[in-house]
């Protein structure tokens, strides 16, 4: 499942995620599941026809990523693999950065990032001109709605409705290392 919140030039995308790390850290060999959130560049295209035509929308490169993950076999609300990627270069995230406050209580930590945009930009190495005042205001104002979406998606992951592996070859055969829009 994918949710998108678009502002002027940036937006937030949120998706459930099931992931089996091909090069896991010690102690993290089991699959992970949870919710991924990314700050992304958005582009609104020209109308391809009349004033009534649907407008093309492009969700572009990521600027920052948060993975609210836990061991796929763990009890709900564990967040034992929750981390963020403050440095994204092109389409590739930097190393996982584990922050105690993020793992302890991720939604307030995440909401604080959207209400303190200058800190987020500095931490992620994003040039301030990439985020307009309208984008910053949009992120701040939409933070409660985005957090509500993340919370509901996490609850659906914990209920087993989302964040599940792809099972394309029959029962018990997982063919995908990553199941997610993001």
């Amino acid at each position: 499942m994918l949710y998108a919140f678009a502002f002027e030039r940036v937006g937030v995308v949120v998706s459930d995620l099931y992931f089996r790390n091909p090069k896991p850290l010690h102690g993290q060999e089991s699959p992970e599941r949870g919710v991924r959130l990314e700050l992304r560049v958005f582009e609104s295209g020209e109308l391809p026809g009349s004033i009534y035509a649907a407008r093309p929308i492009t969700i572009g490169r990521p600027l920052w990523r948060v993975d609210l993950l836990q061991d796929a076999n763990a009890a709900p609300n564990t967040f034992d693999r929750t981390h963020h990627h403050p440095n994204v270069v092109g389409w590739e995230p930097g190393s996982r950065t584990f922050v105690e406050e993020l793992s302890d209580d991720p939604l307030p930590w995440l909401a604080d990032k959207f209400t303190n945009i200058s800190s987020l930009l500095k931490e992620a190495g994003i040039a301030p001109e990439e985020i307009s005042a309208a984008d910053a205001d949009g992120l701040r104002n939409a933070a409660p709605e985005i957090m509500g979406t993340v919370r509901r998606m996490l609850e659906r992951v914990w209920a087993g409705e989302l964040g599940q592996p792809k099972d394309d070859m029959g029962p018990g055969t997982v063919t995908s290392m990553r199941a997610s829009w993001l």
Side-chain angles (χ1 to χ4, degrees):
M1 179 169 284
L2 177 71
Y3 287 90
F5 300 84
F7 306 106
E8 188 171 289
R9 294 186 329 228
V10 300
V12 172
V13 289
V14 182
S15 178
D16 62 311
L17 174 66
Y18 179 92
F19 186 73
R20 181 174 294 148
N21 193 337
K23 297 178 183 176
L25 298 172
H26 177 70
Q28 298 186 358
E29 292 84 7
S30 62
E32 303 168 323
R33 67 183 181 141
V35 172
R36 173 171 282 171
L37 180 144
E38 292 176 340
L39 182 65
R40 292 267 192 121
V41 174
F42 276 66
E43 293 180 28
S44 177
E46 296 297 320
L47 291 175
S50 73
I51 194 169
Y52 305 106
R55 181 180 302 276
I57 300 167
T58 302
I59 301 175
R61 67 184 174 84
L63 300 171
W64 181 73
R65 174 188 286 174
V66 174
D67 288 324
L68 305 179
L69 299 177
Q70 62 184 56
D71 182 319
N73 302 311
N77 207 25
T78 305
F79 298 117
D80 61 331
R81 310 245 182 108
T82 294
H83 60 275
H84 72 117
H85 300 270
N87 301 321
V88 177
V89 178
W91 292 91
E92 290 293 332
S95 298
R96 289 180 168 194
T97 301
F98 293 89
V99 177
E100 187 175 337
E101 297 82 8
L102 173 59
S103 294
D104 287 348
D105 202 359
L107 295 181
W109 183 91
L110 188 54
D112 181 62
K113 293 295 182 187
F114 291 143
T115 57
N116 190 359
I117 301 300
S118 60
S119 172
L120 171 63
L121 297 178
K122 184 177 180 181
E123 180 181 6
I126 300 169
E129 59 271 10
E130 285 199 61
I131 308 289
S132 70
D135 286 323
D137 289 344
L139 283 166
R140 266 191 227 78
N141 294 333
E145 187 175 355
I146 295 168
M147 294 310 101
T149 299
V150 170
R151 182 180 300 107
R152 287 186 300 278
M153 190 171 276
L154 282 167
E155 289 168 355
R156 292 185 67 191
V157 166
W158 297 331
E161 298 172 31
L162 298 174
Q164 297 297 311
K166 299 284 186 216
D167 192 10
D168 299 329
M169 308 253 325
T173 307
V174 178
T175 60
S176 176
M177 302 219 8
R178 178 169 133 188
S180 177
W181 275 94
L182 302 176

